[in-house]
Amino acid sequence: MTDLAHDEHAARLREELADRLENTGVLRSAPWRAALTAVPREVFVADGFFRRGDGPQGTVWTPALPDAEDPGAWLEEVYADETLVTQFDGGLYPGDVDGPVSGEPTSSSTLPGLVVRMLEDLDPEDGARVLEIGTGTGYSTALMSHRLGSDHVTSIEYDPAIAARARTAITAAGYTPRLIQGDGLQGDPEGAPYDHLIATCSVRTIPPAWLRQVKPGGTILTTVSGWLHGSGLVRLAVGENGTAEGHFLPGAVSFMIARPHAAPDLGDFSALLRQPADERPARHGRDVFRNWSQVFLAQLAAPGAQHLSTRVDGGPWLAHAIDVGSGSFATLTPDDGGDGYHVRQGGPARLWDDIEATIDVWEAAGSPPQTAFTVAATPAEQTVRLDIPTGPSWTLPT
Ligand SMILES: C[S@@+](CC[C@H](N)C(=O)[O-])C[C@H]1O[C@@H](n2cnc3c(N)ncnc32)[C@H](O)[C@@H]1O
């Protein structure tokens, strides 16, 4: 394939991607269509990505490098509406390995459909200055630079090697936004105040620096997630004096958690599980951890808890919620031959009591969707509130 044919093929695939996203209602405006059809995604994954597959022990990721692939098929894959994982475990790249790997994805080019949806949700006006947290490959940074002008965009990436790769790609694509390597949770005091902030990594709580660095009347668009992997996309309207408030938006949106907000290593938790414990029938079982709404509620109720499953000698799978900070645990054991569970709870907190009580409140309110919850932030406290007259609320961790 000649360079010209390659570029024409890529341009056609960008138009087709834009058509698909328009047809599904994700792409809603001409300026973002212009950005999507102009920015070459292949430049941002020039070092390859990891292709997801199934192995005998579960998911595996195989390196995919452009030089080793059919150029046309490569472009087709780059313009699929898929996330392309570019780094594992904070330092492993596709060029580093010959065969499949498993581990924790730590950087990616987010699927274009989600990037565009968030940019439409952010809806920055002409002339707005935007701060992005989580440059990643730089693809979303380039889309914003195209739409707003490079001098209106600043992006912060935590990982030095990822930041360097993004700078190379963004420059190669012809954009010159301000790029910072550092902790985006601290924002950018030098460039503040910004009109809007968008995060493509998730946070457990809204960083106070963001509340100070976005102008009153501006917007913060971010996913709020946590250690049980509950997640939701929230758009906050920033008020005066470090306050902000806004609803969760529709859809099951999740991102890699900001690295400083990542869960602590559980270490050897066997002694913790051997503490004296109470046991009772559980009203909710392990499905809580697989249900988008319920795991979000569980996380509000037990923000310090992490979930994992264990199994001894071919016995039943046990589902645990473990809070190493407080030294508390809840273990769900399936009942013999039944659909139910028993729960053992030990340590100072009764994690499963708290989780079930929160699910009760939600069910009593008619099991509303996530859009019925509001995040409210002040410098003193951040809460998630269920928008019903009795309005129960939960405090986000600090
Ligand atoms: C899903 S990727 C970003 C995708 C990117 N916007 C794109 O279009 O390619 C999330 C990125 O957030 C970065 N990140 C995690 N914690 C961060 C933090 N505290 N500050 C800035 N970046 C962070 C990760 O290193 C990762 O590169």
Side-chain angles (χ1 to χ4, degrees):
M1 196 187 269
T2 63
D3 286 354
L4 180 62
H6 186 268
D7 290 352
E8 284 176 355
H9 187 195
R12 195 172 66 247
L13 291 170
R14 282 195 289 279
E15 293 288 345
E16 287 171 8
L17 176 63
D19 289 346
R20 286 200 301 280
L21 296 182
E22 246 170 33
N23 290 339
T24 51
V26 169
L27 177 59
R28 304 191 292 270
S29 67
W32 288 119
R33 180 171 180 121
L36 187 66
T37 52
V39 174
R41 195 183 189 206
E42 65 275 23
V43 170
F44 297 87
V45 290
D47 295 330
F49 53 82
F50 290 96
R51 201 174 271 139
R52 190 186 187 124
D54 292 325
Q57 313 290 337
T59 303
V60 290
W61 302 81
T62 310
L65 296 165
D67 292 346
E69 305 273 334
D70 170 73
W74 173 260
L75 280 181
E76 307 258 351
E77 203 168 344
V78 166
Y79 286 103
D81 190 20
E82 298 286 346
T83 290
L84 303 174
V85 175
T86 51
Q87 189 201 52
F88 267 89
D89 298 334
L92 189 69
Y93 298 92
D96 296 343
V97 287
D98 294 330
V101 297
S102 56
E104 189 69 28
T106 41
S107 194
S108 64
S109 171
T110 304
L111 67 159
L114 176 53
V115 173
V116 169
R117 178 244 155 109
M118 287 177 65
L119 294 173
E120 293 279 15
D121 286 342
L122 189 73
D123 194 22
E125 61 284 5
D126 288 345
R129 291 179 64 245
V130 176
L131 177 61
E132 179 189 46
I133 312 300
T135 317
T137 60
Y139 178 62
S140 52
T141 321
L143 290 171
M144 281 191 279
S145 300
H146 190 91
R147 161 73 181 89
L148 297 167
S150 291
D151 54 347
H152 286 68
V153 178
T154 298
S155 186
I156 308 180
E157 169 57 46
Y158 192 85
D159 184 299
I162 293 287
R165 285 168 189 241
R167 181 179 291 280
T168 302
I170 291 168
T171 307
Y175 300 102
T176 54
R178 183 151 165 262
L179 298 173
I180 299 172
Q181 187 271 309
D183 181 5
L185 304 187
Q186 305 307 318
D188 171 31
E190 259 178 54
Y194 284 92
D195 296 300
H196 305 288
L197 182 149
I198 182 170
T200 55
C201 54
S202 67
V203 289
R204 294 178 80 207
T205 190
I206 312 300
W210 297 3
L211 298 169
R212 289 192 302 269
Q213 293 176 19
V214 176
K215 291 178 188 167
T219 316
I220 295 174
L221 184 70
T222 185
T223 38
V224 173
S225 74
W227 297 347
L228 288 178
H229 303 296
S231 181
L233 179 65
V234 69
R235 183 174 50 206
L236 301 169
V238 176
E240 301 286 343
N241 306 320
T243 60
E245 186 163 327
H247 281 283
F248 282 94
L249 302 180
V253 180
S254 66
F255 274 97
M256 299 162 183
I257 197 162
R259 297 195 192 184
H261 280 187
D265 191 357
L266 280 174
D268 180 1
F269 50 86
S270 53
L272 196 146
L273 295 184
R274 283 198 301 271
Q275 294 177 91
D278 307 333
E279 188 158 347
R280 65 167 175 84
R283 288 185 292 107
H284 292 275
R286 65 181 305 157
D287 282 354
V288 167
F289 296 115
R290 303 186 189 118
N291 178 299
W292 184 268
S293 298
Q294 292 187 6
V295 77
F296 168 74
L297 292 158
Q299 190 173 272
L300 291 176
Q306 299 181 56
H307 165 56
L308 84 163
S309 298
T310 59
R311 187 184 198 191
V312 180
D313 298 335
W317 281 101
L318 308 182
H320 311 278
I322 298 179
D323 181 341
V324 281
S326 73
S328 306
F329 74 93
T331 297
L332 292 163
T333 308
D335 294 337
D336 283 343
D339 294 337
Y341 287 84
H342 266 68
V343 60
R344 285 185 74 241
Q345 303 185 83
R350 290 292 171 269
L351 297 177
W352 208 249
D353 291 3
D354 295 344
I355 288 170
E356 289 189 331
T358 294
I359 294 175
D360 287 346
V361 168
W362 172 73
E363 287 181 340
S367 307
Q370 209 169 21
T371 48
F373 290 80
T374 295
V375 174
T378 69
E381 193 185 38
Q382 297 189 16
T383 56
V384 175
R385 189 181 68 232
L386 178 54
D387 297 332
I388 57 173
T390 48
S393 68
W394 298 266
T395 304
L396 288 175
T398 45

